[in-house]
Amino acid sequence: MGRQEPWRHWGAYALALLPLLLLEALLFWRIPFPLAHPFLLPFAIAMVASREGICAGAGYGLFVGLCAMLLGHGSSMLFLCSLVGCVIALLFARGLQQGFWGSFLGGMAALLLLSLLRMLTLALFRGLPFLALCSIAFPEFFWSLPFFPLVYGIYLLPARRTHYCKGGLAV
Amino acid sequence: MKKLLRHKGIWILAVALSLSLIVAALSILWGDRTGPLSSLSRTITAPLQTAMNSIEQNASHIYGQAAQFEQLRLENENLKQQVAQLEDRARDGQLAREENQRLRSLLDFKQRRQDLTFEPAKVLRESTTNWNRTIILSKGSKSGISARDCVVDASGRLVGIVSEVGSNDATVVLISDAGFTLGGSGVSTGEHGVLCGDVSLMEKGELRFSYLPRDTALSPGDEVLSFASEGLYPTGLLVGRIASVEFDEGGLYAHATITPAADLAHLNQVFVITNFLTDD
């Protein structure tokens, strides 16, 4: 493995997040989706966590959380995205299969978990009614699912091109 | 031909001279009027002359056009540049006019509310999430902005409250955010209540005015102002107008839905109230 290999590998993952951020910040927000807009960042966390392991999943989750903060998701996303990365990587380590349908399940789990954590955070720290928050979480979940194949395609490219096998980074 | 000229040349010359003399004599005899021969020759040559004249005019026109083409091209380029410059100026003028209007209304608001200290800030971006309604401002603690400062637009209409402050930026929770809370009072009745965001109204950009007396006299169209009894926030900032009043079945309180007075979807420049004088 060359010294440049990890840099290229993680650089490609970082670049793969760019089109998702652009989609969320520039396109989705201008389209009048009923009740909620699609949220693709959890899929990105799941894609990396499924291939790279727990530590890398948590690290990439932290990076995604940082980017989510830039979109105005709030500083709590740093911790929440990192946690989601850990949990999803654990699911894959415990038997969830890689591949499209496995990743799809992982993506769904990441989205649901992140929504649940956000609802709990908002309910506990800002006193918002938990059930009312479901009216945001469910439309967001259903509007996001159709975009999973797009995220899968985007993340498959850096994973295949760089051929970097997880080693020291993964647990 | 040479033989003809050699043998009959003298006769041809004589005939030509005779014809010339006859024509000259006829010209003298007819005076200023056009003679028959002249008329005949003019009749014969008129179409030819017309055609020649037309060709000459066309040729002259084409030549003239070719000569002017380069000049016109340069003139066109100059005019295009001038149009672009004028469009730029018009755009600048429009922006300046809008800014002027904003500053005029702020000046008017400042004269009405001399108890408030403002810090102007630009809106860098707005949140693009389903879960909150926030904006990021271009100024932070270095400009004297601190958490819980109220933010208004140029007309003094409440936009939101600063929630997080960096040294050069600040996050403002808009009044339509589900987590927004502030005291409010109806202008027409003086009734107090709690202005708070609502998850179900967030998508529509509205907020709720809760804990109103059950027999509230507030009605749609009434204005609602900010109210803070302990001096935490400035009072009297226009929040919005009542859209509808609802009564809970068997509840102790009534609540109203408020449409914000500020245009929260198109915020470019806002003013942070960094300091205010309390009645105490």
Side-chain angles (χ1 to χ4, degrees), chain A residues 29 35-37 70-73 118-119 122 126 128 132 135-137 140, chain B residues 125-134 164 173 177-179 199 202-203:
Chain A
W29 200 243
L35 299 172
H37 300 88
L70 294 177
L71 293 181
H73 284 264
R118 290 174 102 180
M119 285 161 71
L122 288 170
R126 290 173 75 181
L128 300 183
S135 65
I136 299 175
E140 184 183 80
Chain B
R125 61 182 181 273
E126 53 188 303
S127 70
T128 53
T129 83
N130 298 308
W131 299 84
N132 58 33
R133 296 288 179 274
T134 56
E164 291 173 23
V173 173
D177 183 83
V199 176
M202 196 163 67
E203 183 69 19

Side-chain angles (χ1 to χ4, degrees), chain B residues 37-109:
Chain B
L37 276 173
S38 179
S39 292
L40 183 69
S41 70
R42 281 186 184 182
T43 308
I44 292 165
T45 56
L48 200 66
Q49 267 185 350
T50 309
M52 286 296 288
N53 197 24
S54 172
I55 289 168
E56 188 188 334
Q57 274 183 355
N58 279 332
S60 161
H61 184 65
I62 289 167
Y63 179 75
Q65 273 190 337
Q68 279 186 341
F69 180 76
E70 186 60 22
Q71 193 186 342
L72 285 170
R73 199 180 60 79
L74 290 171
E75 202 174 318
N76 190 29
E77 273 179 14
N78 281 336
L79 286 171
K80 273 183 184 171
Q81 279 178 356
Q82 280 179 15
V83 167
Q85 282 172 355
L86 287 171
E87 279 177 348
D88 275 352
R89 276 191 206 170
R91 246 189 318 273
D92 289 347
Q94 179 67 23
L95 288 173
R97 193 158 48 239
E98 283 172 6
E99 190 175 2
N100 192 20
Q101 274 176 353
R102 277 203 301 270
L103 292 173
R104 265 175 196 277
S105 39
L106 178 71
L107 187 65
D108 181 42
F109 179 64

Side-chain angles (χ1 to χ4, degrees), chain B residues 103-121:
Chain B
L103 292 173
R104 265 175 196 277
S105 39
L106 178 71
L107 187 65
D108 181 42
F109 179 64
K110 258 185 154 177
Q111 279 170 349
R112 278 190 285 122
R113 297 293 304 264
Q114 292 182 352
D115 55 324
L116 307 176
T117 309
F118 297 98
E119 181 63 39

